[in-house]
Amino acid sequence: MLAAFGCGDGLDTEVFSGYAAKTVGFDYSHEMLSRTSQRQSETLRFEHLDLISDDVQGVYDVVVTKRFIINLGEWSVQSQCIKKITKAMPQG
């Protein structure tokens, strides 16, 4: 399963989903997520996630982020979110 963090309107996530059996796109912005409805399918879904406050649920084989981490500002916040994403990947 593929997870895309900071998926925005889902355009890139829809492209990435072609490389995975199932894909979940996560974003903080309800406005951006409202633009993803036409992209959803049986193998592609989008969910709200505030990665600064919340933990990632589930385990994902592949994670993708594009300009999400850099937009978080301070390194302390960026590194916290990177650690949360890493915990959502298979360990070992």
Side-chain angles (χ1 to χ4, degrees):
M1 183 175 305
L2 184 145
F5 294 92
C7 69
D9 66 3
L11 180 62
D12 290 335
T13 304
E14 185 176 33
V15 173
F16 300 144
S17 72
Y19 298 97
K22 293 195 176 197
T23 302
V24 180
F26 295 103
D27 204 278
Y28 171 79
S29 170
H30 289 289
E31 180 182 338
M32 294 304 277
L33 288 169
S34 71
R35 300 177 189 180
T36 65
S37 61
Q38 72 279 6
R39 301 186 197 292
Q40 294 196 76
S41 68
E42 289 183 23
T43 60
L44 174 60
R45 72 179 194 274
F46 297 92
E47 298 181 9
H48 179 263
L49 178 67
D50 179 352
L51 197 55
I52 295 171
S53 301
D54 302 326
D55 290 326
V56 180
Q57 301 301 310
V59 176
Y60 300 91
D61 301 307
V62 177
V63 298
V64 177
T65 181
K66 181 179 174 184
R67 295 201 48 82
F68 166 64
I69 300 295
I70 196 169
N71 290 332
L72 294 174
E74 298 179 21
W75 171 245
S76 61
V77 176
Q78 293 171 341
S79 62
Q80 173 191 4
C81 290
I82 290 168
K83 288 176 185 175
K84 289 181 179 185
I85 291 170
T86 302
K87 285 182 183 179
M89 297 175 66
Q91 306 299 310

